[in-house]
Amino acid sequence: MSNVAEIFGSKVFNLPTMQERLPKATYESLLKTINEGTALDSKVADVVANAMKDWAIENGCTHYTHWFQPMTGVTAEKHDAFIQPTEDGTVINEFSGKELVMGEPDASSFPSGGLRATFEARGYTAWDPTSFAFIKDNSLCIPTTFLSYTGEVLDKKTPLLRSMDAISKEAKRVLYCFGKNPAKVISYVGPEQEYFLVDKELWKQRKDLLLTGRTLFGAMPAKGQELEDHYFGQIKERVSSFMKEVDEELWRLGVYNKTKHNEVAPAQHEVAPIFSTTNIAADHNQLTMEVLKKVAGRHGLVCLLHEKPYEGINGSGKHNNWSIGTSEGENLLKPGKDPESNTQFLLFLAAVIKAVDDYAEVLRLAVATAGNDHRLGANEAPPAIVSIYLGEQLEAVVEHLVSGTESTEAKAAAYLETGVESLPVLKKDSTDRNRTSPFAFTGNRFEFRMPGAAQSISGINIVINTIVAEALSQFADQLEGVEDVTSKAMEIVIDTLKKHKRIIFNGNGYSDEWVEEAARRGLPNLKTTVDALPYFVSEKSLSLFEKHGVFTRVETETRTDIMLEDYSKAINIEMLTALEMAKQEILPACLEYTKFMVDDVAKKESIGISVPNEKDQAKKLSELTESLIQKISALDAVAEAVPSGLSAVDTATYYKDNALPAMGDLRTVADTLETIVSKEYWPFPTYTDLLYNI
Ligand code: ADP
Ligand code: MG
């Protein structure tokens, strides 16, 4: 393994490389664009493009591509060679400022939610200089946004950048009232990525994993995760060598990969970087998912990013650690030694609490996908009910402020007693862990635990940035022009906490009592994607995104349709895959094994051997196989009756109400059969094979 400091960022056109290769004036002009968002001069772009090209070619590149994030949630790229023909029939390498700044991929094959029907089919990509260009597969990749001919956004990056501007603007207004004037307020994210690994040869034999990313059949293995021996356990050699290669590739790409460990379920793991700005974190998380998949292949493995590859086994999420800070380095969510008298901190804390309570539905729908529906509320992941966990210390502060009681002395830092003199004294964190909370304060940031492992983190952070921007905007409206800012701010804090206290919940989010309690508190419990998504186009949501210039109304509406269509498409593919597997693989296997048993019974009885128990078993097999055929027919009927011409939400509702239950019924019978049919006859690898063979 190479020295990390030496290889880090070696495939990135980052600041040191720019400084080394660009004329001073060009470098400074570009730096100003990156830091302050000033428009880029076309002459500067030409010089940058040329330097980028030379650097890329020296590093083995033949092509360049605008790398963007259409609304599919994965990245897209179209590669063009640098070559330019000359008169003498040879070629030279060329890359102009124009080619760097703008591209025109055909937009017609990307989802637009109907935007293209109304507008032009053309799409444009535009360079995002705040995210560095990098090299992948001998191509220079330039992070870009993706827009339609008339300026409607067709991607996930543009609204994310807009939301970052919105929160910066509103947070600065608030800070200005406190006598501060930072250049920018930046939202940061450190996303923890969970994933499963599975042996590639076994994976190939499972049509469901191959086509849908999750198992549609499979009885529980004899050993699940009850021994809790996998979490943080020793990493197996094959996995470890895979992880090392992932680290190295990502470090070369400038991703701050920091942590890796085994997760709760067998064959489940996690990787996490050091946090960066939401924009870069989103780009890097896309790269991380891509590298995980690619490197897995080289090790004879497949990386599953689906939220619930295995029923009855923990699913995979993506913990979104979010905070805001000034460009000068002040973390606005840092409580300090005495949070109770830290008015500015309390105000920002109150803004997050208010934002999450006011827009719980929007936050919920940002994590709504067909895959994540299997995970949320499944007694292992956060419930579908959004609530905030503050931890003991802040909970006490909130209590004092709301009830108006005297504040107790600021709690002295607590220490852990190990009882062993030679061990260092450990300072206790002021917040404990509450893994059941969807939105937990963890000392200087909030950890949003609902996002699914396969999701782009852009959508989630667009929502968090925008809802917090809105709360801050309302606070700034009240603070501006006020003489005694501190008392006014405290008044706002207390008022906000009183109004929004209901969203705070420090107990067990998995419990049934919480579901009842949340209902009493009037908190929404949007169980599925279909329940949640319509809130995106509620007046409250439309006007929120419009006010902060994040989405136009049309953009919000089209995005809702795209998400609903994604949901329907995912379930449709699952339904057809389940049918195919049941008809072509499971049923024939069951018929064959039943025949074997029935023949055996008949033979034995014909020579007078009495086998009542074996006969019962054969009978049970026959009955279950009959039932299997019946469930196949029922699902077939659902597939044949898929309505056409309905709205996106009605179509999605059809799949939720008809396809999912029928698939569940079919699975139940098939899984029971799996437990009694001979392994030799069973047509594909079982859960034990998949989970314990890496
Ligand atoms: P956990 O203990 O929750 O598993 P990890 O150490 O795996 O935590 O990940 C925590 C993540 O939070 C890391 O990506 C880390 O960089 C990120 N993080 C730390 N401080 C901040 C902050 N101020 N803002 C945003 N993210 C942060
Ligand atoms: Mg975490």
Side-chain angles (χ1 to χ4, degrees):
M1 168 71 72
S2 338
N3 180 330
V4 180
E6 274 166 25
I7 61 163
F8 189 85
S10 60
K11 289 191 172 176
V12 185
F13 196 67
N14 53 16
L15 292 181
T17 310
M18 286 181 206
Q19 195 164 20
E20 187 191 307
R21 289 176 173 260
L22 295 173
K24 197 156 185 273
T26 312
Y27 175 70
E28 270 160 17
S29 170
L30 181 59
L31 205 58
K32 213 162 139 52
T33 302
I34 293 171
N35 290 335
E36 294 164 37
T38 49
L40 194 82
D41 193 83
S42 67
K43 285 202 203 76
V44 172
D46 274 330
V47 180
V48 176
N50 200 48
M52 252 189 205
K53 176 205 71 189
D54 288 345
W55 169 79
I57 289 171
E58 280 167 38
N59 283 285
C61 287
T62 51
H63 289 68
Y64 71 92
T65 176
H66 279 196
W67 184 76
F68 58 102
Q69 296 165 29
M71 293 185 276
T72 52
V74 291
T75 52
E77 42 198 71
K78 174 187 144 216
H79 302 257
D80 283 306
F82 288 118
I83 55 167
Q84 192 64 251
T86 59
E87 276 178 13
D88 61 6
T90 58
V91 293
I92 50 165
N93 286 308
E94 257 194 5
F95 185 48
S96 69
K98 199 169 156 281
E99 287 167 311
L100 164 65
V101 172
M102 205 176 99
E104 199 195 323
D106 183 3
S108 58
S109 296
F110 294 106
S112 75
L115 276 177
R116 266 192 328 274
T118 350
F119 307 100
E120 273 267 4
R122 270 171 212 240
Y124 293 98
T125 48
W127 181 33
D128 166 20
T130 62
S131 184
F132 301 138
F134 56 90
I135 294 172
K136 194 168 61 94
D137 268 347
N138 301 332
S139 271
L140 170 68
C141 300
I142 300 150
T144 56
T145 58
F146 184 41
L147 305 131
S148 77
Y149 184 67
T150 41
E152 269 77 21
V153 297
L154 296 173
D155 72 343
K156 289 177 179 265
K157 184 192 264 281
T158 315
L160 181 63
L161 291 169
R162 290 174 175 173
S163 75
M164 289 172 76
D165 284 349
I167 195 164
S168 178
K169 178 175 154 219
E170 304 301 341
K172 275 174 69 178
R173 282 178 64 203
V174 169
L175 288 173
Y176 198 69
C177 299
F178 282 89
K180 296 180 180 173
N181 195 10
K184 253 199 298 201
V185 168
I186 303 162
S187 58
Y188 294 101
V189 163
E192 299 162 55
Q193 174 76 50
E194 293 176 339
Y195 60 90
F196 277 88
L197 290 173
V198 61
D199 185 273
K200 196 170 185 172
E201 291 309 312
L202 297 173
W203 171 84
K204 276 188 196 157
Q205 298 167 46
R206 297 277 318 210
K207 229 176 242 172
D208 46 5
L209 282 180
L210 189 81
L211 297 179
T212 74
R214 76 176 179 107
T215 52
L216 301 170
F217 299 98
M220 281 300 291
K223 178 182 177 208
Q225 57 198 50
E226 62 278 12
L227 292 180
E228 296 169 339
D229 54 352
H230 189 67
Y231 190 54
F232 277 17
Q234 214 175 60
I235 300 170
K236 287 185 186 144
E237 210 170 294
R238 184 172 177 197
V239 176
S240 167
S241 85
F242 154 81
M243 284 177 168
K244 279 183 196 149
E245 207 173 311
V246 167
D247 274 340
E248 183 161 340
E249 282 228 23
L250 288 172
W251 284 330
R252 285 186 194 280
L253 288 166
V255 179
Y256 300 106
N257 247 22
K258 169 102 173 153
T259 309
K260 53 184 178 186
H261 57 79
N262 286 353
E263 260 302 329
V264 176
Q268 192 188 26
H269 311 278
E270 177 183 304
V271 60
I274 297 171
F275 67 98
S276 46
T277 70
T278 36
N279 176 31
I280 294 184
D283 282 359
H284 282 177
N285 184 249
Q286 294 293 144
L287 276 177
T288 303
M289 293 194 282
E290 203 178 311
V291 167
L292 283 171
K293 290 192 164 174
K294 200 169 66 183
V295 174
R298 289 186 210 139
H299 292 257
L301 297 164
V302 171
C303 174
L304 304 175
L305 293 173
H306 194 283
E307 284 77 11
K308 195 77 176 176
Y310 304 103
E311 203 161 285
I313 303 280
N314 265 22
S316 297
K318 182 134 57 188
H319 293 175
N320 192 80
N321 293 271
W322 178 92
S323 71
I324 41 174
T326 66
S327 39
E328 288 70 25
E330 182 185 359
N331 180 348
L332 299 169
L333 292 176
K334 197 170 168 189
K337 285 209 179 71
D338 180 11
E340 193 143 358
S341 55
N342 187 347
T343 313
Q344 185 194 297
F345 162 73
L346 288 175
L347 193 68
F348 279 93
L349 180 74
V352 177
I353 293 171
K354 173 178 163 57
V356 173
D357 190 27
D358 279 342
Y359 294 100
E361 292 93 346
V362 185
L363 208 50
R364 165 68 184 93
L365 73 87
V367 296
T369 64
N372 216 17
D373 276 3
H374 296 288
R375 181 177 158 261
L376 295 178
N379 269 6
E380 36 121 333
I385 306 163
V386 176
S387 68
I388 291 182
Y389 169 79
L390 287 181
E392 232 176 84
Q393 187 189 23
L394 286 184
E395 170 83 342
V397 172
V398 169
E399 232 8 89
H400 292 146
L401 292 172
V402 169
S403 62
T405 50
E406 272 297 294
S407 77
T408 49
E409 286 291 296
K411 270 194 196 159
Y415 293 92
L416 277 182
E417 272 302 328
T418 59
V420 181
E421 268 190 34
S422 57
L423 293 179
V425 177
L426 304 175
K427 196 170 160 211
K428 258 167 96 165
D429 269 333
S430 57
T431 57
D432 194 6
R433 310 243 149 179
N434 181 341
R435 306 208 66 100
T436 69
S437 174
F439 208 93
F441 186 71
T442 48
N444 61 359
R445 61 187 187 267
F446 279 95
E447 182 171 342
F448 185 35
R449 303 202 178 103
M450 291 169 92
Q455 273 192 282
S456 150
I457 58 165
S458 299
I460 301 141
N461 290 296
I462 291 169
V463 169
I464 302 179
N465 289 343
T466 311
I467 63 178
V468 178
E470 171 57 21
L472 290 170
S473 162
Q474 291 183 25
F475 290 176
D477 288 346
Q478 297 173 65
L479 285 171
E480 278 165 354
V482 167
E483 225 158 78
D484 186 352
V485 170
T486 312
S487 3
K488 181 66 191 173
M490 270 324 278
E491 196 185 297
I492 296 174
V493 167
I494 293 170
D495 182 51
T496 306
L497 292 177
K498 279 186 181 155
K499 275 195 196 130
H500 297 284
K501 205 175 152 261
R502 65 171 189 164
I503 196 79
I504 300 170
F505 176 65
N506 286 354
N508 179 5
Y510 296 170
S511 66
D512 292 338
E513 295 81 57
W514 170 231
V515 176
E516 287 161 28
E517 167 68 15
R520 271 194 297 278
R521 294 189 189 186
L523 298 176
N525 182 2
L526 303 169
K527 294 203 178 87
T528 69
T529 298
V530 183
D531 300 316
L533 278 177
Y535 283 91
F536 206 13
V537 286
S538 65
E539 184 51 36
K540 192 167 147 190
S541 154
L542 290 172
S543 55
L544 166 82
F545 290 111
E546 191 177 42
K547 172 177 169 185
H548 294 282
V550 173
F551 290 127
T552 62
R553 285 176 177 247
V554 177
E555 284 165 0
T556 315
E557 282 157 9
T558 51
R559 255 155 232 263
T560 310
D561 280 355
I562 290 173
M563 291 196 281
L564 284 164
E565 281 160 16
D566 282 350
Y567 174 89
S568 298
K569 282 180 202 160
I571 297 179
N572 191 55
I573 296 171
E574 288 181 354
M575 177 173 72
L576 299 180
T577 308
L579 277 170
E580 210 173 289
M581 288 172 82
K583 287 185 205 172
Q584 299 177 356
E585 300 180 47
I586 303 173
L587 179 60
C590 295
L591 289 172
E592 219 173 307
Y593 187 61
T594 310
K595 180 174 181 304
F596 161 78
M597 279 206 92
V598 169
D599 287 353
D600 195 55
V601 170
K603 262 190 215 149
K604 284 175 181 164
E605 285 190 336
S606 73
I607 55 169
I609 303 173
S610 161
V611 283
N613 295 305
E614 191 181 338
K615 196 170 173 179
D616 278 352
Q617 185 70 355
K619 208 168 148 219
K620 191 172 164 196
L621 268 168
S622 294
E623 281 165 9
L624 278 167
T625 306
E626 257 302 294
S627 170
L628 185 75
I629 298 173
Q630 189 205 343
K631 303 299 176 199
I632 290 173
S633 306
L635 187 57
D636 249 338
V638 172
E640 270 160 30
V642 171
S644 60
L646 293 186
S647 67
V649 69
D650 288 342
T651 308
T653 307
Y654 176 83
Y655 281 103
K656 173 178 84 94
D657 291 343
N658 301 284
L660 287 179
M663 281 163 62
D665 291 346
L666 172 60
R667 179 181 184 145
T668 307
V669 180
D671 288 359
T672 310
L673 278 160
E674 186 192 319
T675 62
I676 54 172
V677 169
S678 155
K679 174 109 174 89
E680 264 175 64
Y681 285 73
W682 201 250
F684 40 71
T686 63
Y687 270 24
T688 306
D689 300 329
L690 297 169
L691 288 164
Y692 294 98
N693 269 311
I694 54 165

